[in-house]
Amino acid sequence: MAQTLQDFENLVNGKRIAARGGQWLDSYDPYRGEPWARIPRCAQSDVDDAVAAARAAFRSGPWPAMTPTERGKLLVRLAGLIERDAERLGRLETQDNGKLIAEMGAQTRYMAEWYRYFGGLADKIEGRVLPMDKPSRFTFTRHEPLGVVAMITAWNSPLLLLSWKLAAALAAGNTAVIKPSEHASVSTLEFVSLFEEAGFPPGVVNTVTGLGPDVGAALASHPDVAKVAFTGGDMTGQKIYEAGAPSLKRVSLELGGKSANIIFADANLDAAVMGAVSGIFAASGQTCIAGSRLLVHRSVHDEVVERLTEVARTAKMGNPAEPGTQVGPVTTQPQRAHILKMIEAGKADGARCVMGGGTPKDPAFAQGWFVEPTIFTGVSNDMRVARIEVFGPVLSIIAFDDDAEAIRIANDSPYGLASGLWTRDIGRAINASRAMESGTVWVNTYRAVSFMAPFGGYKRSGIGRESGQESIYEFLQTKTVWFETEESTSNPFIIR
Ligand code: NDP
């Protein structure tokens, strides 16, 4: 069996290498439920090698000597290569994590825009000359890179989530060690080849694959890592925060959510229903921004449930590599077990399962890791399906009677990643968008992202922002440089 698996190696200091210990991990195809590739199972010594390569590339050689304009040009060149290879990279991701090819081709092409945008921004980061309160002083600030940035990513959209960090970090002049999820590392391992082709010096971008508690934890506590940029679950994020504390690392965390998608009585129900479907069933619900709590005004509740189930029932389940498929498998077996457990929790807590509620009966799906799109009505916000992130195709519908109640329920969550508002009333939309405790609020749309729009969480959904101009400062530190222009010897015992 092992001979038929394709091996993908890490990239360290411009060279392809396996783990020092010679160990490998199988990577599974979620549609077939069987291994299709192998990735190196690294350990502490491999992490040390990758960090040392990134540190050397940060401190000496061509990278620190480049001007921001030159760095920007490399990033723009990379964007072109991504567009060229978008289909190939998308196909690898589909095979590795089961995401729909229908979405992946477009997503991978769009990913190029992050490199183009941050490539353009690289030489527009300016310090300031300060006006100063003492005329003999000439004082200015400059923004400098941090050093080695460790990037730890989740399995649901490995390349896109990586690009949100990597484009900004490189534009700022840092170097990177990337640890993708053991469940979906292949696309990242292939993608990093493009950096050499674009002209990035060796050691600027490195990878180290393996298990989270081994490799991820070793990176998060490594003394030569200046910052960890992480995407994943909140409990892992907390561990990374704690692991970085002894060396006072900077940390940015893009974590999970339990986002509220609110349909008010005056909404365009056709659009709202489509938004609700896209919010929870796209990518089989495996998105951090899943609109997993659908809050519906009681006056339109039954109509929304009816229309929603009608659309969701006709969604075509199948092979994610086929362009017509709308619902693919979930990425891992433990994830499927978690989703099914949460569905049972919903039933046990008294929610009504009006659609789905288990694994598909059709034997065509017996091998792969499929879960039926599932809808619960009669959910109250204290039930487990309303509080715990499912990260699967499970929708909890909660009825409300007025705006204040909707906002109270939406904000009654430990998370605060995103929210959706469906209404034609501008005043209501503005007031509710102000009241939402979430990093993103969508009005009459859902699941929209852009390279120019800051993204990140309130509360347990994260720390820091990715995308948009301000996010580059997450990868920079400010230096203040003071000049004294007059020759004077003032009293040394008094602050100057
Ligand atoms: P995990 O938190 O389990 O894993 C994320 C990454 O952390 C993986 O690379 C994992 O490696 C690694 N890891 C695991 N344990 C440790 C550790 N102790 N120290 C360091 N690294 C570790 O998340 P999932 O992969 O299960 O992804 C799902 C979660 O990600 C959901 O909560 C989802 O909401 C969130 N997410 C957030 C997004 C956002 O932008 N806000 C976007 C997408 C997802 P390995 O997999 O090899 O164990």
Side-chain angles (χ1 to χ4, degrees):
M1 182 71 165
Q3 299 90 302
T4 64
L5 304 183
Q6 236 179 301
D7 288 349
F8 293 86
E9 293 181 321
N10 277 306
L11 183 76
V12 175
N13 205 20
K15 295 190 180 63
R16 287 292 177 180
I17 52 168
R20 270 177 186 259
Q23 288 190 299
W24 294 85
L25 288 168
D26 287 349
S27 202
Y28 281 75
D29 173 342
Y31 175 60
R32 296 190 170 77
E34 58 188 34
W36 75 282
R38 297 195 312 167
I39 55 163
R41 179 177 176 170
C42 294
Q44 178 77 50
S45 58
D46 303 293
V47 172
D48 291 341
D49 290 346
V51 173
R55 193 158 189 250
F58 179 74
R59 292 198 151 179
S60 58
W63 183 246
M66 276 184 195
T67 63
T69 307
E70 287 166 335
R71 287 202 302 267
K73 281 183 186 163
L74 292 185
L75 286 161
V76 171
R77 199 176 302 153
L78 179 76
L81 299 177
I82 292 169
E83 280 163 346
R84 184 196 68 191
D85 287 3
E87 249 171 67
R88 183 176 66 86
L89 293 169
R91 271 199 308 276
L92 282 174
E93 208 148 284
T94 292
Q95 180 147 23
D96 216 20
N97 73 355
K99 268 191 104 166
L100 303 182
I101 194 68
E103 177 165 55
M104 281 321 302
Q107 190 183 95
T108 315
R109 257 191 311 282
Y110 190 42
M111 180 182 112
E113 298 300 345
W114 268 262
Y115 295 93
R116 207 165 269 134
Y117 178 82
F118 284 101
L121 188 59
D123 59 5
K124 290 158 198 77
I125 301 303
E126 297 166 349
R128 287 190 300 152
V129 175
L130 307 178
M132 300 313 291
D133 54 343
K134 297 185 182 79
S136 67
R137 296 282 158 77
F138 175 71
T139 306
F140 65 90
T141 58
R142 38 184 281 124
H143 300 290
E144 299 186 342
L146 304 171
V148 178
V149 179
M151 301 178 188
I152 303 176
T153 53
W155 40 257
N156 58 333
S157 283
L159 288 183
L160 187 69
L161 300 175
L162 170 64
S163 297
W164 292 6
K165 308 168 192 351
L166 189 55
L170 295 179
N174 300 282
T175 58
V177 177
I178 303 159
K179 186 255 174 262
S181 166
E182 83 215 40
H183 303 294
S185 291
V186 169
S187 57
T188 301
L189 294 181
E190 277 296 282
F191 168 55
V192 292
S193 289
L194 299 185
F195 286 82
E196 190 185 3
E197 197 182 339
F200 285 83
V204 172
V205 173
N206 308 275
T207 61
V208 56
T209 51
L211 304 180
D214 300 345
V215 170
L219 272 175
S221 61
H222 201 291
D224 292 333
V225 167
K227 169 172 174 136
V228 182
F230 171 76
T231 300
D234 61 327
M235 292 314 295
T236 315
Q238 188 176 325
K239 280 187 200 152
I240 284 171
Y241 206 14
E242 287 164 2
S247 52
L248 298 178
K249 267 186 222 335
R250 285 167 176 74
V251 172
S252 53
L253 306 171
E254 292 291 350
L255 308 176
K258 198 72 208 171
S259 298
N261 201 1
I262 308 177
I263 302 181
F264 292 96
D266 66 324
N268 172 341
L269 291 189
D270 290 333
V273 164
M274 287 307 170
V277 169
S278 129
I280 191 65
F281 298 129
S284 299
Q286 301 170 108
T287 70
C288 52
I289 49 184
S292 52
R293 291 183 299 151
L294 185 69
L295 277 50
V296 186
H297 191 268
R298 207 174 293 280
S299 65
V300 291
H301 175 273
D302 293 354
E303 190 181 348
V304 166
V305 171
E306 195 181 320
R307 289 204 205 180
L308 192 60
T309 43
E310 217 175 276
V311 177
R313 250 185 241 291
T314 58
K316 187 173 179 294
M317 188 179 272
N319 183 348
E322 286 169 10
T325 300
Q326 292 169 310
V327 179
V330 300
T331 301
T332 75
Q333 221 164 358
Q335 181 59 20
R336 182 171 68 162
H338 166 70
I339 298 168
L340 295 174
K341 209 168 111 194
M342 289 304 301
I343 291 174
E344 290 315 308
K347 293 174 185 169
D349 289 352
R352 272 189 306 283
C353 185
V354 296
M355 201 188 105
T359 52
K361 313 291 169 280
D362 185 338
F365 304 118
Q367 251 193 307
W369 300 329
F370 284 89
V371 177
E372 290 177 314
T374 296
I375 298 178
F376 282 111
T377 59
V379 175
S380 72
N381 203 41
D382 55 358
M383 290 181 185
R384 285 172 285 176
V385 276
R387 301 214 73 80
I388 300 170
E389 187 179 34
V390 177
F391 216 60
V394 180
L395 181 64
S396 296
I397 301 183
I398 303 173
F400 67 86
D401 289 305
D402 57 40
D403 292 17
E405 188 188 13
I407 290 164
R408 186 186 54 71
I409 295 171
N411 288 341
D412 176 17
S413 168
Y415 298 106
L417 192 58
S419 51
L421 307 173
W422 298 88
T423 175
R424 289 175 166 129
D425 180 330
I426 291 179
R428 167 179 278 153
I430 290 172
N431 289 332
S433 68
R434 280 201 196 115
M436 286 296 122
E437 294 171 358
S438 63
T440 292
V441 182
W442 289 295
V443 181
N444 295 331
T445 184
Y446 203 88
R447 205 167 173 250
V449 293
S450 164
F451 45 90
M452 60 177 79
F455 178 84
Y458 279 25
K459 303 192 278 189
R460 278 193 79 84
S461 289
I463 296 174
R465 293 291 175 268
E466 293 182 340
S467 304
Q469 291 188 32
E470 68 187 63
S471 72
I472 199 166
Y473 293 99
E474 305 266 349
F475 297 97
L476 289 163
Q477 50 196 338
T478 303
K479 179 179 278 176
T480 309
V481 184
W482 294 71
F483 284 72
E484 173 56 61
T485 60
E486 280 175 12
E487 288 190 13
S488 72
T489 47
S490 51
N491 183 345
F493 300 102
I494 294 173
I495 193 165
R496 297 177 187 213

